[in-house]
């Protein structure tokens, strides 16, 4: 089997890269470990930067997004159970944001792949990446009981944090930056009307977040201990804790109901430098992880594959400079989002070793943010994300 670009992983990064390469007439084969149904069953991100929206529109993937996505121009932050500030990023930056679930983007990507005859191999096992430091890399995998060798010009590692592609880079050829947070996010979906706006909450009991997927599907999160499981959290316990952490005026508007999905995600910051090795290029969670507090993970995967698809198109057209610069180009935007996501996480969560002084300083930070348009503009610019 031979193709121009072998893509490992068919999550948002891999399946969007395959689509963007098709737009440039570049062939690819995507090799995915899970079934399509499993990938579509994962509930993850929910907020898109405007650069992501515009990129999906340019790629012809925005019909449902424009019909069902929820454009919003501000977010709120509550603290001390009564204070609320608003960051009006539309007014401060000229850019809105859009709520549209990652699951729906994944569905849109797979529908486009089917319609356009893309080659995505689901259920591939024993995936190995070989000879990336030569000009003849190849990928080996097993599918339907058959071992397959996929020869290619380039390999895109889009297989997430636990994939094989980053491990293909030798330890002495990469620097790994990592910070694990001492708590997780318990998230639920409920078929209830969401609050009119997205609100983050800092509270001495812990962080909370109210978001949405559509006018009758809400997404909520509360910070929880790392060793908790979803079995520790009945719906009643979840709603009681969420209401305890929100400003009272927000809680009064909240409509509770049975959860239809409940999961706990750990939080970490991670960056692998460089994001390439020979003819292997990492994109998305394979190269970096951010705590979801800044709503950046999915958006970074999109910007990575934008840069990589443009660089590969330039290469095949005779200019290899962008491909050589891919890692540096992508890392500029990655580190901006990694820092912002760390800052939001540090500002809004209750750390186990935190003292009452630390909590008070967080609250003073928020009081200053509420009073300073300059500080709000700084946060707004980072929340909406850098231009591509
Ligand atoms: P993904 O992990 O989505 O996809 C990688 C794909 O590679 C998967 O389909 C996997 O099955 C496949 N794969 C792995 N190993 C393989 C192998 N050896 N061979 C072949 N295929 C292999 N971001 C936000 O902005 N907001 C959120 O609220 C949020 N919540 C999250 C919750 C969880 C539990 C997780 C894990 C992430 C969350 N994220 C969130 C971040 C998330 O949205 C990622 O940024 C996004 O999925 C990145 O997409 P990919 O890079 O494609 O990685
Ligand atoms: C979500 O809607 O899932 C969401 C929103 C904002 C975040 C993280 C997740 O910062």
């Amino acid at each position: 089997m031979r193709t121009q670009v072998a893509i490992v992983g068919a999550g948002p990064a891999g399946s969007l890269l395959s689509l963007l390469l098709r737009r440039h007439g570049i062939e690819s084969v995507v090799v995915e470990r899970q079934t399509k149904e499993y990938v579509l069953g994962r509930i993850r991100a929910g907020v898109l930067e405007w650069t992501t929206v515009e990129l999906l529109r340019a790629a012809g993937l925005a019909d449902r997004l424009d019909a069902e996505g929820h454009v919003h121009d501000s977010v709120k932050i509550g603290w001390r159970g009564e204070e609320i500030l608003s960051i009006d990023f539309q007014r401060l930056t000229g850019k809105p944001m859009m709520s549209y679930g990652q699951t729906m983007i994944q569905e849109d990507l797979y529908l486009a792949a089917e319609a356009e005859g893309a080659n995505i191999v689901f259920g591939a096992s024993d995936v190995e990446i070989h000879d990336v430091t030569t000009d003849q890399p190849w990928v080996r995998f097993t599918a339907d009981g058959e071992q397959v060798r996929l020869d290619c010009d380039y390999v895109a590692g889009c297989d997430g944090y636990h994939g094989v592609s980053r491990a293909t880079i030798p330890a002495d050829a990469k620097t790994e930056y990592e910070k694990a947070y001492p708590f997780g996010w318990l998230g639920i979906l409920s078929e209830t009307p969401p609050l009119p706006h997205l609100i983050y909450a800092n509270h001495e009991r812990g962080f909370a977040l109210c978001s949405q997927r559509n006018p009758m599907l809400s997404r909520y999160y509360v910070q929880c201990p790392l060793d908790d499981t979803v079995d520790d959290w009945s719906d009643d316990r979840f709603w009681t804790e969420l209401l305890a952490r929100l400003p009272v005026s927000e809680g009064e508007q909240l409509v509770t109901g049975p959860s239809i999905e409940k999961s706990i995600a750990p939080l970490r910051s991670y960056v692998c430098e460089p994001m390439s090795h020979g003819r292997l290029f990492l994109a998305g969670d394979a190269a970096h992880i951010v705590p979801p507090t800044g709503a950046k993970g999915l958006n970074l995967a999109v910007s990575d594959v934008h840069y990589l698809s443009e660089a590969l198109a330039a290469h095949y057209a005779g200019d290899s400079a962008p491909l050589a610069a891919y890692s540096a180009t992508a890392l500029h935007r990655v580190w901006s989002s990694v820092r912002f996501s760390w800052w939001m996480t540090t500002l809004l969560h209750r750390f186990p070793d935190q003292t009452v002084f630390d909590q008070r300083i967080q609250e003073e930070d928020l009081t200053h943010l509420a009073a300073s348009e300059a500080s709000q503009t700084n946060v707004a610019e980072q929340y909406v994300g850098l231009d591509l």
Side-chain angles (χ1 to χ4, degrees):
M1 204 174 182
R2 168 166 249 291
T3 190
Q4 289 175 289
V5 182
I7 300 172
V8 183
S15 44
L16 181 57
L17 176 60
S18 169
L19 181 143
L20 294 175
L21 291 176
R22 293 197 298 274
R23 296 290 180 271
H24 289 290
I26 298 170
E27 275 182 20
S28 67
V29 172
V30 189
V31 180
E32 165 59 47
R33 175 170 64 183
Q34 304 291 355
T35 63
K36 181 191 290 191
E37 293 69 28
Y38 182 91
V39 179
L40 289 173
R42 290 191 298 225
I43 305 298
R44 289 188 174 172
V47 169
L48 306 182
E49 295 173 354
W50 208 245
T51 47
T52 295
V53 171
E54 290 175 332
L55 188 144
L56 294 174
R57 281 181 180 161
L61 201 77
D63 291 349
R64 189 167 69 143
L65 176 142
D66 279 328
E68 299 180 22
H70 171 66
V71 179
H72 52 281
D73 54 18
S74 62
V75 290
K76 294 185 184 289
I77 303 177
W79 72 102
R80 241 197 329 248
E82 57 193 19
E83 305 288 345
I84 298 179
L85 68 86
S86 178
I87 305 281
D88 186 341
F89 40 73
Q90 174 70 61
R91 179 177 64 82
L92 294 168
T93 70
K95 288 183 191 173
M97 297 282 278
M98 181 180 278
S99 290
Y100 187 73
Q102 175 172 323
T103 307
M104 299 165 82
I105 292 180
Q106 195 66 71
E107 287 169 353
D108 298 341
L109 282 164
Y110 285 167
L111 283 173
E114 279 167 21
E116 299 170 16
N119 190 344
I120 302 181
V121 178
F122 289 99
S125 57
D126 308 320
V127 177
E128 298 171 359
I129 302 171
H130 295 278
D131 296 346
V132 294
T133 54
T134 74
D135 58 3
Q136 294 177 320
W138 54 286
V139 174
R140 176 160 53 201
F141 60 90
T142 301
D144 298 326
E146 295 291 318
Q147 198 172 67
V148 178
R149 172 175 168 136
L150 175 60
D151 290 294
C152 55
D153 298 337
Y154 295 96
V155 181
C158 301
D159 48 350
Y161 183 71
H162 301 289
V164 294
S165 57
R166 190 175 67 249
T168 305
I169 303 178
D172 61 3
K174 63 192 173 191
T175 303
E176 299 184 274
Y177 302 85
E178 184 155 20
K179 181 181 186 60
Y181 298 89
F183 38 72
W185 276 20
L186 167 66
I188 74 158
L189 278 177
S190 61
E191 290 172 327
T192 54
L195 291 179
H197 40 254
L198 196 147
I199 180 164
Y200 297 86
N202 169 300
H203 193 278
E204 60 188 9
R205 298 178 66 90
F207 167 86
L209 168 60
C210 302
S211 185
Q212 63 156 288
R213 291 294 178 268
N214 64 49
M216 273 311 289
L217 189 61
S218 297
R219 179 70 165 161
Y220 297 107
Y221 298 95
V222 295
Q223 169 187 344
C224 67
L226 266 180
D227 53 5
D228 272 11
T229 70
V230 291
D231 295 336
D232 298 320
W233 286 85
S234 67
D235 284 2
D236 285 348
R237 183 186 175 196
F238 179 86
W239 292 119
T240 301
E241 196 56 43
L242 179 67
L243 288 166
R245 299 181 186 187
L246 290 177
V248 173
S249 58
E250 297 295 315
E252 287 166 350
Q253 303 174 61
L254 197 84
V255 178
T256 64
S259 64
I260 60 169
E261 190 273 347
K262 194 180 286 178
S263 55
I264 293 178
L267 273 64
R268 90 176 64 242
S269 298
Y270 173 88
V271 180
C272 174
E273 285 193 1
M275 287 173 54
S276 62
H277 182 65
R279 290 188 171 226
L280 170 65
F281 298 89
L282 304 182
D285 280 15
H288 43 71
I289 292 281
V290 286
T293 327
K296 292 296 169 208
L298 176 58
N299 291 295
L300 279 179
V302 171
S303 52
D304 287 351
V305 298
H306 164 73
Y307 295 133
L308 184 53
S309 61
E310 292 295 308
L312 285 165
H315 165 74
Y316 282 112
D319 174 9
S320 295
L323 199 56
Y326 163 72
S327 177
T329 304
L331 282 168
H332 169 63
R333 205 169 193 276
V334 164
W335 275 111
S336 170
S337 292
V338 165
R339 194 213 69 82
F340 177 67
S341 303
W342 161 83
W343 178 79
M344 283 278 278
T345 303
T346 304
L347 175 67
L348 297 175
H349 288 74
R350 187 110 177 93
F351 288 70
D353 58 352
Q354 196 168 324
T355 65
V356 289
F357 174 83
D358 300 323
Q359 176 68 27
R360 188 71 187 80
I361 290 295
Q362 286 180 334
E363 292 169 1
E364 194 53 32
D365 270 342
L366 290 162
T367 301
H368 172 76
L369 183 58
S372 165
E373 172 131 334
S375 299
Q376 291 174 28
T377 302
N378 176 43
V379 171
E381 287 171 348
Q382 297 175 81
Y383 193 80
V384 299
L386 297 179
D387 291 336
L388 287 178

